[in-house]
Amino acid sequence: MTQIKDLESDFDPNETPTGKYKAGKIRDENITNIIQAAEEVFVQYGYKGTSIQAIADKANIAKANVHYYFKSKSNLYIAVLGNLMHLWNDFFDQVTEDDDPAIVLDEFIRKKVALSYSHPRASKLFAMEIIQGAPHLKEYIRTEMRVWVRTKAKVIQTWIDQGRMAKHVDPVQLIFLIWSSTQHYADFEEQVLTIMNCAEYEQDMIDNISNFLSQMILTGCGLTPPQHNT
């Protein structure tokens, strides 16, 4: 019972990052350092097993400096996940009905694959959060993320209505497909690399994965993938 009370007092499901941190605008070197350190520690020890002191030690800064930017562990945890989702989706935030759907979807897929390579820890952390029932992100998913998906689905639906994409495409399922297929290469990194007999992802692998996913997804949507020099 004590552990349950401690967890409840440590986490507010309605909490969002506050203070010096601003989501999507990580330019301060200290914030970047803290976010990167927190990603690694949270993935290694989980939310319950992580302390602010451990994150401060990993970032090689004083614990007080972490609290200067983030008022609590849950505040920092949400900031780490929020930063990841911003990185994943910020490109798609700028999409309009006038854009070319083939170019937009191709770039979205390629950016997501690249982020699976550059931010694998953060993707795994997000997957762990969702598998556990999204206890720290449930409100965000129910509100902001739901609105984001519906807004982008409307743009895709307009492309379909204009005859620029195949009529059988379900916009929401398409977004889910792009998310899941690209994040697979981060969340199941060990499996992929072992099967492919590789020590780590290299640029030619990233290019091949991006080309394959773009080709499969775009042609399935009735689109012609843009040509890329490789």
Side-chain angles (χ1 to χ4, degrees), residues 91-154:
F91 163 73
F92 214 43
D93 284 341
Q94 313 303 320
V95 171
T96 70
E97 297 168 354
D98 296 326
D99 291 324
D100 184 329
I103 293 176
V104 166
L105 295 177
D106 177 74
E107 290 186 12
F108 189 33
I109 291 166
R110 290 177 185 279
K111 179 172 182 180
K112 288 286 279 86
V113 172
L115 285 169
S116 288
Y117 167 74
S118 62
H119 292 72
R121 292 193 304 266
S123 182
K124 291 172 184 175
L125 185 64
F126 180 80
M128 289 167 53
E129 169 72 13
I130 299 302
I131 289 170
Q132 294 169 6
H136 303 84
L137 287 181
K138 192 177 295 291
E139 183 64 19
Y140 172 83
I141 293 171
R142 189 184 68 82
T143 56
E144 293 182 44
M145 182 175 281
R146 180 182 291 175
V147 171
W148 186 91
V149 169
R150 288 177 176 176
T151 300
K152 304 314 164 190
K154 286 182 180 179

Side-chain angles (χ1 to χ4, degrees), residues 180-227:
S180 61
S181 61
T182 54
Q183 286 160 227
H184 173 85
Y185 293 93
D187 301 341
F188 294 89
E189 178 182 18
E190 291 302 320
Q191 180 188 57
V192 172
L193 292 176
T194 300
I195 290 174
M196 297 183 72
N197 196 28
C198 296
E200 61 183 12
Y201 288 121
E202 297 181 356
Q203 189 57 52
D204 61 339
M205 290 178 63
I206 298 299
D207 292 339
N208 289 338
I209 292 167
S210 299
N211 291 338
F212 174 77
L213 291 180
S214 179
Q215 181 75 26
M216 294 297 292
I217 293 173
L218 268 64
T219 54
C221 293
L223 299 168
T224 300
Q227 296 296 314

Side-chain angles (χ1 to χ4, degrees), residues 1-21:
M1 180 66 70
T2 301
Q3 290 180 343
I4 294 176
K5 287 183 178 179
D6 288 344
L7 179 60
E8 289 176 346
S9 63
D10 181 59
F11 174 66
D12 176 359
N14 296 313
E15 186 176 29
T16 56
T18 58
K20 300 297 180 180
Y21 169 83

Side-chain angles (χ1 to χ4, degrees), residues 20-56:
K20 300 297 180 180
Y21 169 83
K22 299 299 180 183
K25 295 183 178 179
I26 301 182
R27 297 189 179 90
D28 188 297
E29 184 177 343
N30 287 332
I31 296 178
T32 301
N33 188 27
I34 293 168
I35 290 286
Q36 290 176 346
E39 283 181 9
E40 187 169 345
V41 178
F42 278 129
V43 169
Q44 184 173 0
Y45 298 106
Y47 180 81
K48 291 182 181 179
T50 293
S51 66
I52 290 293
Q53 184 62 61
I55 294 171

